[in-house]
Amino acid sequence: MSNSPARGAARRDAQHNRAHILDVARAAFDRDGIDVSMDAIAKMAGFGAGTLYRNFENKDALLAALLDRHYEGLEERRLEIEAAEQDEAQALERWIEALGDWMLAYEGLPEPLRAACRSESPLTRTCHAVIATTERILKAAQEKGLARTHVTGRDLFLGALAIAWAGGDRTAGEDTTKVLRTVLKSGWQENAAS
């Protein structure tokens, strides 16, 4: 009975509904940032709130699903960086830039990512994976004496998050992100002036 045509059709409908919700949410977040309410997303998708919440228990769960695609892009950049860079400090610098770009996938995203670092949420797993990757790239620079030994991957993740928050703010200047990345680099780089 579990493989009945009706059950298969229901599963396809559920998959279609989930994909449609993700498409609608992606467009809404691209346009208006993550402050779009779950009820507004349900309405834009043409569903009741119940259908939305059956698929995504809260906005963090919806964001986590949307960030899967962005995380794949971040991983592709990591592979490119590691293949292209012989200098561990340059690789770390480029990784931090990639990380900052990933954190700006949607306006307002830095805040839920920050919250996911201090308490359990659907975004926590992704944050921990990115922190672990940052730690690994940082350690390679530390082993070559190119990065300060007291700095952690979590420190750099949070620093990049702060820069993404400040640079993504509508009041930020044109060069805010570039200036703040330079400041962060002077904090982790071993040969930076003390």
Side-chain angles (χ1 to χ4, degrees):
M1 281 287 185
S2 64
N3 292 327
S4 71
R7 193 169 181 97
R11 191 174 17 247
R12 282 189 300 279
D13 284 347
Q15 290 170 344
H16 173 75
N17 290 350
R18 182 179 171 86
H20 181 63
I21 290 167
L22 286 170
D23 288 342
V24 168
R26 183 178 298 113
F29 291 163
D30 280 343
R31 185 181 58 248
D32 300 320
I34 65 163
D35 288 337
V36 178
S37 73
M38 292 287 278
D39 288 339
I41 291 168
K43 187 174 182 178
M44 285 183 263
F47 296 131
T51 300
L52 175 63
Y53 285 104
R54 271 191 301 282
N55 283 279
F56 304 101
E57 64 181 326
N58 55 37
K59 193 181 286 184
D60 280 356
L62 180 57
L63 279 169
L66 288 171
L67 284 179
D68 280 348
R69 184 187 79 188
H70 292 285
Y71 183 72
E72 290 170 10
L74 181 62
E75 277 297 293
E76 287 173 14
R77 283 189 66 186
R78 178 191 62 78
L79 293 170
E80 289 170 11
I81 291 166
E82 290 180 338
E85 290 298 337
Q86 299 299 315
D87 179 275
E88 288 80 359
Q90 282 286 42
L92 180 58
E93 184 176 2
R94 287 187 59 202
W95 171 251
I96 292 169
E97 288 174 9
L99 193 55
D101 293 344
W102 172 76
M103 292 171 171
L104 289 172
Y106 303 111
E107 184 180 330
L109 181 59
E111 179 52 35
L113 291 175
R114 184 187 67 80
C117 287
R118 73 170 185 263
S119 62
E120 194 63 33
S121 98
L123 294 166
T124 301
R125 190 189 86 225
T126 300
C127 288
H128 286 279
V130 173
I131 290 169
T133 299
T134 304
E135 184 72 34
R136 187 176 54 72
I137 296 169
L138 169 63
K139 284 232 180 286
Q142 288 171 329
E143 288 170 4
K144 295 286 186 174
L146 301 171
R148 295 179 181 174
T149 57
H150 68 277
V151 176
T152 68
R154 184 179 179 85
D155 295 335
L156 293 181
F157 177 87
L158 292 172
L161 195 55
I163 292 168
W165 175 83
D169 189 75
R170 289 188 172 125
T171 63
E174 212 173 278
D175 291 336
T176 298
T177 298
K178 183 179 177 184
V179 168
L180 292 175
R181 283 180 177 166
T182 301
V183 170
L184 179 61
K185 181 180 178 182
S186 70
W188 64 257
Q189 194 173 35
E190 182 57 51
N191 61 356
S194 297

